[in-house]
Amino acid sequence: GDSVTQMEGPVTLSEEAFLTINCTYTATGYPSLFWYVQYPGEGLQLLLKATKADDKGSNKGFEATYRKETTSFHLEKGSVQVSDSAVYFCALYDAGKSTFGDGTTLTVKP
Amino acid sequence: KAGVTQTPRYLIKTRGQQVTLSCSPISGHRSVSWYQQTPGQGLQFLFEYFSETQRNKGNFPGRFSGRQFSNSRSEMNVSTLELGDSALYLCASSLGDRPHNEQFFGPGTRLTVL
């Protein structure tokens, strides 16, 4: 079946540092790929998405590129802020259901 | 446009009881999916309903069931509760008419089983 493997956390960075969270997937079909963010006590918010190979999703300074050849969708941000502290989930959506990675907790210190 | 709403936000039950959770999707959305989130298992897909029919199902026992009404609102029921059912239950809605529709998540219902 489908699966998503995320870089293990937690990740702690200083403000303005560069962020990369690795995500790889396996899928039988041709999925769409997503990054979601979850703040404490809240549900999931869509951060960005890509629906086909070589698409780049971007939002709020975050970017991720759909790489079919390496089955990857790594999340990057050039300069993180304290307000980016949250749990980040990589997910794929195929045939009516989403499959999530385990989540990576990011803490950004001032 | 109002987002996805879930009620109640918090529930405490005891083992053996049953529980019903409710989800109201974004207006115009016909697909509702349910997920269970636990620290140990992460986010796991329960099932998806589209136009009152279960369209997809995850690997959960038959104690977990759901339904969708004609207004797209959905309910999830868990019977004979076990301690391991304690979790955050998330509902997500989407238009559902394309394979890559974006899902919008509600805030979740936190279920505690004692």
Side-chain angles (χ1 to χ4, degrees):
Chain A
D2 296 347
S3 68
V4 175
T5 302
Q6 258 183 260
M7 167 179 157
E8 287 188 22
V11 174
T12 302
L13 296 172
S14 298
E15 207 165 23
E16 299 184 4
F18 184 84
L19 169 71
T20 300
I21 301 178
N22 290 337
C23 172
T24 58
Y25 68 91
T26 58
T28 52
Y30 196 179
S32 292
L33 301 175
F34 301 83
W35 277 100
Y36 290 91
V37 58
Q38 188 175 34
Y39 299 99
E42 298 184 13
L44 297 175
Q45 297 177 27
L46 177 67
L47 182 59
L48 53 83
K49 68 177 182 180
T51 60
K52 60 183 188 295
D54 300 325
D55 264 3
K56 177 186 279 190
S58 61
N59 185 27
K60 299 180 183 179
F62 291 90
E63 292 183 341
T65 301
Y66 191 141
R67 300 287 188 200
K68 191 165 184 284
E69 64 276 12
T70 55
T71 61
S72 65
F73 193 55
H74 304 321
L75 181 68
E76 296 182 337
K77 186 174 185 183
S79 176
V80 294
Q81 305 300 312
V82 172
S83 58
D84 294 328
S85 298
V87 182
Y88 292 82
F89 292 91
C90 182
L92 66 84
Y93 182 77
D94 188 26
K97 74 172 192 177
S98 289
T99 301
F100 290 85
D102 290 337
T104 300
T105 300
L106 171 66
T107 302
V108 180
K109 297 190 172 181
Chain B
K1 190 191 279 193
V4 178
T5 58
Q6 291 186 245
T7 56
R9 291 293 312 275
Y10 302 92
L11 265 179
I12 300 176
K13 294 285 188 180
T14 56
R15 279 184 300 172
Q17 288 186 309
Q18 74 164 20
V19 67
T20 300
L21 314 181
S22 180
C23 172
S24 291
I26 291 171
S27 177
H29 285 190
R30 293 194 292 163
S31 167
V32 173
S33 298
W34 288 89
Y35 297 86
Q36 181 194 64
Q37 185 177 23
T38 60
Q41 299 296 318
L43 272 154
Q44 294 188 291
F45 172 74
L46 281 153
F47 30 65
E48 181 212 10
Y49 285 85
F50 179 77
S51 294
E52 301 179 67
T53 301
Q54 188 180 86
R55 189 162 67 171
N56 287 287
K57 188 176 187 305
N59 297 320
F60 277 79
R63 299 185 297 107
F64 292 82
S65 63
R67 59 178 175 167
Q68 186 179 35
F69 302 95
S70 58
N71 61 358
S72 294
R73 189 177 70 86
S74 176
E75 288 181 347
M76 188 190 91
N77 186 76
V78 188
S79 63
T80 319
L81 283 166
E82 300 177 0
L83 295 179
D85 297 333
S86 295
L88 180 66
Y89 290 89
L90 293 169
C91 155
S93 79
S94 72
L95 289 169
D97 58 349
R98 294 283 187 273
H100 305 300
N101 284 152
E102 176 183 338
Q103 291 188 308
F104 294 82
F105 284 81
T109 294
R110 172 77 60 187
L111 172 64
T112 301
V113 182
L114 302 177

